[in-house]
């Protein structure tokens, strides 16, 4: 079946099976492999993207359910000239990533968190990212990154 | 200005932050076929028959191979390798990528489907009908020790080996005979599912003209993998290229040679088409080895003051169904550390390795060393309460060198510790924790009848890094050396290219290596390009595990830089018509001693070495040097961790409230990266202490393979960590570095469980098994109350 979506401002149309998960569609049909897959139980958040402005785990829905949607993936976050998004910059400055595998999902979840709550407390950051797992950082520097991006302490 | 010692931001990050990092599963190639694995649902069974006909007819299926087909195709000239036969008579049943007639753990591969995409491969794998005859299952070490039934029908005992390390048996006997206090404690190191966030994956791509094959693998060990693929398949080494692209964490789980890797290579080679596979998370409990899995017994003999006289240890270690790459050696990596940071006159260690019908075990962050540190540090707390002194005091009384600075100290487990200075790490950790106030608050809560108990636990660990002096490995029966290789070349433009055999998967090597090179050559770190993780670019290497990268690979790079400077000095002297002995080198500039106005930049010399128009007679063109560093000794980082927990008496829930770590990894290259390694390590040790563990039923089924049930710590369960460092340079290498990749994990599980037991002491609880789940804690409280009343 044909699925049309707008991803990072560009319209894409591709053929897929009705059962194709959105994350596989984004990665394999559209070739945007920044969005990662870390589990098969919707537990890890590595696949987090924004759909119509909301953060969504893209392994929890079929591509077909996203028809016509406006999707932002990690590839769409930096400016066209390559300038990192403030959240990406904060992750870099606060060493909020090591292997980088959870990072795209973490950054997408974090930007969505700040759009809902621009100045969260440390606890609110932790709670807001509860659905995103990282095995490398112990979260300390991820939380620090999000707080820094929010303009708090760095 | 020195770059080493500064928190330089990571070169790796922009790519990884923008989705440009390419992990194996991100690499798509035309004509690729997906492998779907047919896995055994039984832990032990005979395979009567396999019917692949329905699967072969399924849409999108290219081929289905049963084990009989695959073994008949002559794809492998030998079984999967075990590189560490720890004793000459170690039992090692043959392990092929597919089960031959009998399966020995749930998830063992019995047939393989090749299909056009991952969905069809999974569908078709479901259609393969296998008729099994179940056999008795050995589902635990206890079952294995009973030896009532065999893990492999071909075995006569489930015991794989017996390994003793008892340097002086008489002294050990005497220590226990003379002891005033005797601690005899048993601990369980549960099986851990390593859970790197990137699942393992492989992609084997044959060259279009035949002959060569490229294997992309989510591996920590591309060089070892290449040798082992050659040795097991018969494909010449020179025809195999292994690439570890971006790798999403390893923690030991990607330090192996796996059935899927050998299937992908050989099938791709046979069919002339790319073959790929990526494990699903729930599959990983079967397709990737697990960690830990030991039953420990530790005995301490001490005098009336609590001064240790002897330590005696026995392990029953769970190998799982097969010996993987270093399965049998993992418990022994810890053997040398069961006396911890303490002066112990007599020591004895024995380990029995046992097969079980479970997923094989192998390295997991710390590999043997967290287990050792856990046992001795838990036992020291028990000794403290027997002696009637605090956990800090028992440690102080027993620290090597009285807690003072030492260098090159022999310990009874036959090693020589490079350097240590344990007292200050404890002092600082307790100061940062506000230890006195914590004890006061703990007492106040107890006195006030609070249902929220405070527990404070500490652990001073030491670990073995810088794996390893090749001779030492040889002495332990390990099948390879422990060196690392590096090439440093200055390019005509003055930029520097570094080729390292060390293979990162999140540790930031490109950044740290650039810092080392920048200082050594006096160049901008931005001008250094680090190449790695591709055996065609970096043909020599022994990869990344055991916190070895900096202390072995980093030192190799530094040494190669020194050689580059030596050669450049000769060229500079020649150009400046001075004696090489009079040349000085500072900040990238060569000058003649006493006439600083005459100077040449190293970049200029690099260009001169490239053009070779005017080199000293007999000198080879180009400015490039290589070295292999084989360390003369291990490095022994150490530190003290303090955990503060709050235990809810009503629910048994343990909340980690505060965590303080004072680590000493010797000289630090990039303190930001060091801190990050400690953070992540702590989280994994805390995970083992409180939540994680692979559970098995009596039939050998893992009952919690997915992230729904296997509880990897989430952001809400972790506190912020308070870190500090002491710096005691290593004497094992010229940089004075030690290694820090595993430190956090090695210090944390003991600190947390010591805290839990400390908090539960009013209920008479002296031990709690990991993970200390709410159920276990609540039960222990109830039992304690019952016992007290
Ligand atoms: S891959 Fe979507 S939540 Fe894990
Ligand atoms: S950075 Fe590796 S999983 Fe988060």
């Amino acid at each position: 079946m044909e699925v049309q979506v707008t991803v990072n401002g560009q319209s894409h149309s591709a053929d897929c099976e009705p059962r194709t998960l959105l994350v596989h569609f984004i990665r394999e049909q559209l070739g945007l492999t920044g969005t990662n897959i870390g589990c098969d139980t919707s537990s890890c958040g590595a696949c987090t993207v924004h759909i119509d402005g909301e953060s969504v785990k893209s392994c929890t829905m079929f591509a077909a359910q996203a028809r016509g949607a406006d999707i932002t993936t990690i590839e769409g976050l930096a400016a066209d000239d390559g300038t990192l998004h403030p959240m990406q910059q904060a992750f870099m400055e606060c060493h909020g990533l090591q292997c980088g595998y959870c990072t795209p999902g973490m950054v997408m979840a974090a930007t969505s968190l700040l759009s809902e709550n621009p100045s969260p407390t440390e606890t609110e950051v932790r709670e807001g990212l509860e659905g995103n797992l990282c095995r490398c950082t112990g979260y300390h520097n991820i939380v620090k990154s999000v707080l820094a991006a929010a303009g708090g302490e760095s | 200005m020195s770059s080493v010692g500064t928190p330089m931001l990571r070169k790796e990050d922009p790519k990884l932050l923008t989705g440009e990092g390419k992990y194996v599963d991100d690499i798509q190639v035309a004509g690729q076929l997906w492998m779907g694995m047919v896995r055994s649902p039984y832990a032990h069974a005979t395979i009567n028959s396999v019917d692949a006909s329905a699967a072969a007819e399924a849409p999108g299926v290219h081929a289905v191979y049963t084990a009989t087909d695959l073994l008949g195709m002559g794809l492998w000239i030998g079984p999967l390798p075990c590189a560490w036969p720890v004793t000459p008579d170690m039992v090692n049943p043959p392990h092929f990528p597919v089960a031959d007639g009998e399966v020995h753990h749930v998830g063992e591969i019995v047939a393989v489907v090749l299909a056009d995409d991952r969905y069809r491969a999974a569908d078709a794998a479901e259609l393969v009908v296998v008729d099994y005859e179940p056999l008795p299952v050995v589902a635990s070490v206890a079952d294995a020790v009973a030896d009532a039934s065999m893990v492999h029908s071909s075995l006569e005992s489930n015991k794989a080996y017996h390994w003793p390390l008892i340097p002086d048996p008489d002294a050990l006997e005497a220590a226990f005979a003379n002891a005033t206090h005797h601690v005899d404690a048993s601990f369980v190191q549960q099986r851990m599912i390593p859970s790197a966030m990137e699942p393992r994956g492989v992609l084997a791509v044959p060259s279009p003209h035949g002959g060569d094959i490229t294997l992309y693998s989510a591996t920590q060990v591309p060089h070892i993998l290449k040798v082992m693929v050659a040795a097991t398949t018969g494909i010449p080494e020179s025809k195999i290229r292994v690439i570890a692209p971006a790798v999403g964490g390893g923690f030991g789980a990607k330090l192996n040679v796996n059935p899927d890797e050998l299937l992908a290579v050989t099938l791709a080679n046979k069919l002339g088409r790319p073959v790929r596979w990526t494990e699903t998370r729930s599959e990983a409990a079967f397709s990737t080895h697990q960690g830990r899995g030991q039953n420990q017994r530790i005995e301490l003999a001490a005098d009336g003051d609590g001064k240790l006289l002897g330590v005696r240890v026995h392990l029953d270690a769970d190998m799982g169904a097969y010996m993987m790459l270093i399965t049998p050696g993992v418990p022994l990596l810890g053997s040398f550390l069961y006396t911890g940071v303490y002066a112990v006159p007599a020591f004895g260690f024995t380990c029995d390795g046992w097969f079980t019908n479970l997923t094989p075990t192998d390295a997991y962050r710390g590999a043997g060393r967290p287990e050792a540190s856990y046992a001795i540090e838990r036992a020291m707390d028990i000794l403290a309460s027997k002696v009637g002194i605090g956990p800090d005091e028992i440690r102080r009384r027993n620290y090597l060198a009285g807690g003072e600075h030492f260098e090159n100290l022999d310990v009874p487990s036959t090693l020589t510790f490079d350097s240590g200075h344990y007292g200050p790490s404890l002092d600082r950790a307790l100061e940062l924790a506000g230890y006195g106030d914590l004890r006061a608050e703990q007492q106040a809560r107890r006195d006030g009848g609070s249902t929220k108990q405070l527990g404070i636990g500490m652990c001073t660990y030491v670990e073995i890094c810088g794996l390893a002096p090749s001779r030492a490995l040889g002495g332990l029966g390990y099948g390879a050396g422990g060196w690392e290789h590096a090439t440093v070349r200055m390019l005509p433009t003055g930029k520097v290219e570094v080729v390292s055999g060390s293979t990162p998967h999140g540790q930031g090597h490109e950044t740290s290596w650039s810092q080392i090179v920048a200082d050594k050559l006096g160049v901008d770190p931005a001008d250094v390009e680090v190449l790695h993780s591709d055996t065609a670019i970096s043909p020599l290497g022994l990869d990344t595990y055991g916190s070895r990268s900096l202390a072995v690979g980093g030192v190799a790079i530094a040494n190669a830089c020194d050689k580059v400077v030596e050669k450049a000095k000769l060229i500079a002297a020649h150009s400046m018509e001075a004696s090489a002995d009079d040349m000085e080198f500072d900040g990238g500039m060569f000058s003649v001693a006493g006439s600083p106005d005459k100077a040449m930049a190293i970049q200029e010399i690099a260009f001169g070495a490239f053009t070779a128009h005017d080199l000293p007679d007999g000198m080879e063109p180009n400015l490039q040097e290589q070295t292999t560093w084989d360390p003369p000794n291990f490095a022994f980082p150490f530190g003290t961790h303090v955990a503060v927990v709050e235990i809810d008496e009503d629910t048994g829930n343990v909340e980690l409230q505060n965590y303080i770590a004072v680590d000493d990894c010797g000289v630090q290259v990039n303190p930001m990266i060091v801190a990050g390694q400690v953070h992540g390590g702590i989280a994994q040790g805390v995970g083992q202490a409180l939540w994680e563990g692979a559970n098995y039923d009596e039939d050998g089924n893992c009952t919690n393979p997915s992230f729904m049930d296997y509880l990897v710590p989430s952001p809400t369960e972790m506190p912020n960590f308070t870190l500090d460092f002491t710096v005691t340079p290593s004497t094992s290498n010229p940089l004075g570095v030690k290694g820090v990749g595993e430190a956090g994990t090695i210090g944390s599980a003991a600190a947390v469980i010591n805290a839990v037991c400390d908090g539960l002491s009013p209920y008479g609880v002296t031990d709690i098994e990991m993970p200390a789940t709410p159920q276990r804690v609540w039960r222990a409280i109830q039992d304690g109350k019952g016992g007290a009343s």
Side-chain angles (χ1 to χ4, degrees), chain B residues 120-149:
Chain B
R120 293 195 158 96
D123 286 347
E126 294 274 312
L127 297 175
V128 175
V129 180
V130 184
D131 181 26
Y132 296 95
E133 181 79 31
L135 293 167
V137 173
V138 175
S140 66
V141 170
D143 280 2
V145 173
D147 251 350
S149 67

mmCIF file of all heavy atoms in Angstrom, chain B residues 120-149:
data_model
loop_
_atom_site.group_PDB
_atom_site.id
_atom_site.type_symbol
_atom_site.label_atom_id
_atom_site.label_comp_id
_atom_site.label_asym_id
_atom_site.label_seq_id
_atom_site.Cartn_x
_atom_site.Cartn_y
_atom_site.Cartn_z
ATOM 1 N N ARG B 120 9.277 -11.210 6.364
ATOM 2 C CA ARG B 120 9.080 -12.520 5.719
ATOM 3 C C ARG B 120 10.006 -13.560 6.330
ATOM 4 O O ARG B 120 9.631 -14.724 6.465
ATOM 5 C CB ARG B 120 9.321 -12.405 4.219
ATOM 6 C CG ARG B 120 8.267 -11.548 3.541
ATOM 7 C CD ARG B 120 8.284 -11.731 2.033
ATOM 8 N NE ARG B 120 6.994 -11.346 1.479
ATOM 9 C CZ ARG B 120 6.740 -10.143 0.964
ATOM 10 N NH1 ARG B 120 7.682 -9.234 0.929
ATOM 11 N NH2 ARG B 120 5.537 -9.881 0.484
ATOM 12 N N ALA B 121 11.177 -13.154 6.692
ATOM 13 C CA ALA B 121 12.103 -14.100 7.330
ATOM 14 C C ALA B 121 11.503 -14.591 8.651
ATOM 15 O O ALA B 121 11.541 -15.784 8.960
ATOM 16 C CB ALA B 121 13.454 -13.439 7.569
ATOM 17 N N ALA B 122 10.915 -13.676 9.390
ATOM 18 C CA ALA B 122 10.317 -14.058 10.674
ATOM 19 C C ALA B 122 9.105 -14.958 10.451
ATOM 20 O O ALA B 122 8.919 -15.966 11.144
ATOM 21 C CB ALA B 122 9.920 -12.814 11.461
ATOM 22 N N ASP B 123 8.288 -14.584 9.466
ATOM 23 C CA ASP B 123 7.107 -15.420 9.159
ATOM 24 C C ASP B 123 7.519 -16.839 8.805
ATOM 25 O O ASP B 123 6.955 -17.811 9.293
ATOM 26 C CB ASP B 123 6.360 -14.858 7.931
ATOM 27 C CG ASP B 123 5.602 -13.589 8.266
ATOM 28 O OD1 ASP B 123 5.458 -13.289 9.468
ATOM 29 O OD2 ASP B 123 5.160 -12.910 7.314
ATOM 30 N N ALA B 124 8.475 -16.946 7.913
ATOM 31 C CA ALA B 124 8.858 -18.265 7.410
ATOM 32 C C ALA B 124 9.490 -19.102 8.509
ATOM 33 O O ALA B 124 9.263 -20.315 8.578
ATOM 34 C CB ALA B 124 9.806 -18.114 6.220
ATOM 35 N N ALA B 125 10.249 -18.452 9.384
ATOM 36 C CA ALA B 125 10.868 -19.204 10.487
ATOM 37 C C ALA B 125 9.794 -19.882 11.335
ATOM 38 O O ALA B 125 9.972 -20.990 11.832
ATOM 39 C CB ALA B 125 11.734 -18.285 11.332
ATOM 40 N N GLU B 126 8.650 -19.207 11.443
ATOM 41 C CA GLU B 126 7.528 -19.769 12.215
ATOM 42 C C GLU B 126 6.967 -21.027 11.571
ATOM 43 O O GLU B 126 6.344 -21.846 12.234
ATOM 44 C CB GLU B 126 6.384 -18.747 12.282
ATOM 45 C CG GLU B 126 6.697 -17.505 13.064
ATOM 46 C CD GLU B 126 6.427 -17.695 14.536
ATOM 47 O OE1 GLU B 126 5.342 -18.188 14.867
ATOM 48 O OE2 GLU B 126 7.334 -17.376 15.342
ATOM 49 N N LEU B 127 7.137 -21.135 10.252
ATOM 50 C CA LEU B 127 6.519 -22.248 9.516
ATOM 51 C C LEU B 127 7.364 -23.514 9.513
ATOM 52 O O LEU B 127 6.917 -24.551 9.044
ATOM 53 C CB LEU B 127 6.252 -21.823 8.055
ATOM 54 C CG LEU B 127 5.255 -20.675 7.875
ATOM 55 C CD1 LEU B 127 5.173 -20.268 6.412
ATOM 56 C CD2 LEU B 127 3.886 -21.085 8.400
ATOM 57 N N VAL B 128 8.573 -23.423 9.997
ATOM 58 C CA VAL B 128 9.421 -24.623 10.050
ATOM 59 C C VAL B 128 8.948 -25.490 11.220
ATOM 60 O O VAL B 128 8.827 -25.010 12.346
ATOM 61 C CB VAL B 128 10.907 -24.244 10.215
ATOM 62 C CG1 VAL B 128 11.771 -25.486 10.390
ATOM 63 C CG2 VAL B 128 11.373 -23.423 9.023
ATOM 64 N N VAL B 129 8.648 -26.739 10.896
ATOM 65 C CA VAL B 129 8.111 -27.628 11.925
ATOM 66 C C VAL B 129 9.222 -28.557 12.404
ATOM 67 O O VAL B 129 9.817 -29.285 11.608
ATOM 68 C CB VAL B 129 6.943 -28.470 11.360
ATOM 69 C CG1 VAL B 129 6.383 -29.388 12.449
ATOM 70 C CG2 VAL B 129 5.865 -27.555 10.799
ATOM 71 N N VAL B 130 9.504 -28.495 13.682
ATOM 72 C CA VAL B 130 10.573 -29.321 14.248
ATOM 73 C C VAL B 130 9.960 -30.274 15.259
ATOM 74 O O VAL B 130 9.176 -29.867 16.113
ATOM 75 C CB VAL B 130 11.648 -28.451 14.933
ATOM 76 C CG1 VAL B 130 12.805 -29.313 15.419
ATOM 77 C CG2 VAL B 130 12.145 -27.368 13.994
ATOM 78 N N ASP B 131 10.296 -31.544 15.118
ATOM 79 C CA ASP B 131 9.809 -32.524 16.081
ATOM 80 C C ASP B 131 10.911 -32.784 17.105
ATOM 81 O O ASP B 131 11.991 -33.265 16.766
ATOM 82 C CB ASP B 131 9.437 -33.825 15.343
ATOM 83 C CG ASP B 131 8.895 -34.859 16.306
ATOM 84 O OD1 ASP B 131 8.351 -34.465 17.361
ATOM 85 O OD2 ASP B 131 9.047 -36.073 16.027
ATOM 86 N N TYR B 132 10.640 -32.424 18.341
ATOM 87 C CA TYR B 132 11.629 -32.565 19.418
ATOM 88 C C TYR B 132 11.228 -33.697 20.364
ATOM 89 O O TYR B 132 10.038 -33.932 20.594
ATOM 90 C CB TYR B 132 11.698 -31.296 20.270
ATOM 91 C CG TYR B 132 12.170 -30.051 19.560
ATOM 92 C CD1 TYR B 132 11.250 -29.147 19.021
ATOM 93 C CD2 TYR B 132 13.524 -29.756 19.468
ATOM 94 C CE1 TYR B 132 11.671 -27.983 18.396
ATOM 95 C CE2 TYR B 132 13.959 -28.586 18.846
ATOM 96 C CZ TYR B 132 13.028 -27.708 18.314
ATOM 97 O OH TYR B 132 13.448 -26.544 17.711
ATOM 98 N N GLU B 133 12.208 -34.313 20.936
ATOM 99 C CA GLU B 133 11.990 -35.270 22.027
ATOM 100 C C GLU B 133 12.642 -34.656 23.266
ATOM 101 O O GLU B 133 13.876 -34.631 23.378
ATOM 102 C CB GLU B 133 12.690 -36.586 21.651
ATOM 103 C CG GLU B 133 12.553 -37.707 22.649
ATOM 104 C CD GLU B 133 11.208 -38.405 22.549
ATOM 105 O OE1 GLU B 133 10.650 -38.455 21.426
ATOM 106 O OE2 GLU B 133 10.726 -38.851 23.592
ATOM 107 N N PRO B 134 11.845 -34.115 24.175
ATOM 108 C CA PRO B 134 12.463 -33.427 25.318
ATOM 109 C C PRO B 134 13.340 -34.358 26.165
ATOM 110 O O PRO B 134 13.032 -35.534 26.328
ATOM 111 C CB PRO B 134 11.264 -32.941 26.138
ATOM 112 C CG PRO B 134 10.118 -32.959 25.185
ATOM 113 C CD PRO B 134 10.380 -34.056 24.207
ATOM 114 N N LEU B 135 14.410 -33.816 26.678
ATOM 115 C CA LEU B 135 15.338 -34.534 27.557
ATOM 116 C C LEU B 135 15.376 -33.805 28.898
ATOM 117 O O LEU B 135 14.968 -32.641 28.988
ATOM 118 C CB LEU B 135 16.738 -34.541 26.924
ATOM 119 C CG LEU B 135 16.893 -35.343 25.625
ATOM 120 C CD1 LEU B 135 18.214 -35.015 24.939
ATOM 121 C CD2 LEU B 135 16.784 -36.838 25.895
ATOM 122 N N PRO B 136 15.868 -34.459 29.927
ATOM 123 C CA PRO B 136 15.930 -33.790 31.242
ATOM 124 C C PRO B 136 16.778 -32.518 31.172
ATOM 125 O O PRO B 136 17.784 -32.478 30.458
ATOM 126 C CB PRO B 136 16.618 -34.823 32.140
ATOM 127 C CG PRO B 136 16.471 -36.126 31.433
ATOM 128 C CD PRO B 136 16.381 -35.833 29.971
ATOM 129 N N VAL B 137 16.334 -31.507 31.917
ATOM 130 C CA VAL B 137 16.945 -30.176 31.826
ATOM 131 C C VAL B 137 17.735 -29.865 33.097
ATOM 132 O O VAL B 137 17.251 -30.083 34.208
ATOM 133 C CB VAL B 137 15.849 -29.115 31.622
ATOM 134 C CG1 VAL B 137 16.434 -27.708 31.693
ATOM 135 C CG2 VAL B 137 15.139 -29.340 30.299
ATOM 136 N N VAL B 138 18.926 -29.352 32.894
ATOM 137 C CA VAL B 138 19.729 -28.827 34.004
ATOM 138 C C VAL B 138 19.533 -27.321 33.990
ATOM 139 O O VAL B 138 20.104 -26.613 33.169
ATOM 140 C CB VAL B 138 21.219 -29.203 33.823
ATOM 141 C CG1 VAL B 138 22.070 -28.565 34.915
ATOM 142 C CG2 VAL B 138 21.391 -30.715 33.806
ATOM 143 N N ALA B 139 18.666 -26.832 34.888
ATOM 144 C CA ALA B 139 18.217 -25.451 34.774
ATOM 145 C C ALA B 139 18.897 -24.502 35.754
ATOM 146 O O ALA B 139 18.522 -23.338 35.857
ATOM 147 C CB ALA B 139 16.703 -25.390 34.970
ATOM 148 N N SER B 140 19.888 -24.988 36.483
ATOM 149 C CA SER B 140 20.589 -24.126 37.435
ATOM 150 C C SER B 140 21.925 -24.765 37.778
ATOM 151 O O SER B 140 22.144 -25.946 37.496
ATOM 152 C CB SER B 140 19.760 -23.973 38.716
ATOM 153 O OG SER B 140 19.675 -25.228 39.365
ATOM 154 N N VAL B 141 22.771 -23.985 38.408
ATOM 155 C CA VAL B 141 24.051 -24.537 38.846
ATOM 156 C C VAL B 141 23.805 -25.643 39.879
ATOM 157 O O VAL B 141 24.483 -26.672 39.872
ATOM 158 C CB VAL B 141 24.960 -23.430 39.426
ATOM 159 C CG1 VAL B 141 26.179 -24.028 40.106
ATOM 160 C CG2 VAL B 141 25.400 -22.491 38.317
ATOM 161 N N ALA B 142 22.799 -25.432 40.731
ATOM 162 C CA ALA B 142 22.496 -26.461 41.730
ATOM 163 C C ALA B 142 22.149 -27.782 41.039
ATOM 164 O O ALA B 142 22.626 -28.854 41.434
ATOM 165 C CB ALA B 142 21.354 -26.004 42.622
ATOM 166 N N ASP B 143 21.340 -27.712 39.991
ATOM 167 C CA ASP B 143 21.017 -28.917 39.207
ATOM 168 C C ASP B 143 22.283 -29.524 38.625
ATOM 169 O O ASP B 143 22.454 -30.741 38.586
ATOM 170 C CB ASP B 143 20.119 -28.568 38.007
ATOM 171 C CG ASP B 143 18.664 -28.407 38.405
ATOM 172 O OD1 ASP B 143 18.377 -28.523 39.608
ATOM 173 O OD2 ASP B 143 17.841 -28.159 37.498
ATOM 174 N N ALA B 144 23.153 -28.644 38.125
ATOM 175 C CA ALA B 144 24.369 -29.131 37.475
ATOM 176 C C ALA B 144 25.245 -29.868 38.473
ATOM 177 O O ALA B 144 25.755 -30.954 38.197
ATOM 178 C CB ALA B 144 25.138 -27.965 36.850
ATOM 179 N N VAL B 145 25.407 -29.286 39.658
ATOM 180 C CA VAL B 145 26.264 -29.885 40.668
ATOM 181 C C VAL B 145 25.718 -31.253 41.084
ATOM 182 O O VAL B 145 26.476 -32.202 41.330
ATOM 183 C CB VAL B 145 26.387 -28.948 41.897
ATOM 184 C CG1 VAL B 145 27.139 -29.616 43.030
ATOM 185 C CG2 VAL B 145 27.069 -27.642 41.490
ATOM 186 N N ALA B 146 24.390 -31.380 41.110
ATOM 187 C CA ALA B 146 23.777 -32.660 41.482
ATOM 188 C C ALA B 146 24.151 -33.758 40.492
ATOM 189 O O ALA B 146 24.169 -34.946 40.837
ATOM 190 C CB ALA B 146 22.264 -32.496 41.564
ATOM 191 N N ASP B 147 24.450 -33.343 39.266
ATOM 192 C CA ASP B 147 24.901 -34.278 38.225
ATOM 193 C C ASP B 147 23.912 -35.425 37.976
ATOM 194 O O ASP B 147 24.305 -36.512 37.563
ATOM 195 C CB ASP B 147 26.291 -34.851 38.573
ATOM 196 C CG ASP B 147 27.382 -34.282 37.648
ATOM 197 O OD1 ASP B 147 27.037 -33.623 36.647
ATOM 198 O OD2 ASP B 147 28.571 -34.504 37.932
ATOM 199 N N ALA B 148 22.627 -35.176 38.255
ATOM 200 C CA ALA B 148 21.622 -36.224 38.058
ATOM 201 C C ALA B 148 21.331 -36.432 36.584
ATOM 202 O O ALA B 148 21.041 -37.540 36.138
ATOM 203 C CB ALA B 148 20.352 -35.871 38.811
ATOM 204 N N SER B 149 21.352 -35.351 35.809
ATOM 205 C CA SER B 149 21.227 -35.512 34.363
ATOM 206 C C SER B 149 22.244 -34.608 33.708
ATOM 207 O O SER B 149 22.754 -33.675 34.329
ATOM 208 C CB SER B 149 19.809 -35.184 33.896
ATOM 209 O OG SER B 149 19.553 -33.813 34.088
#
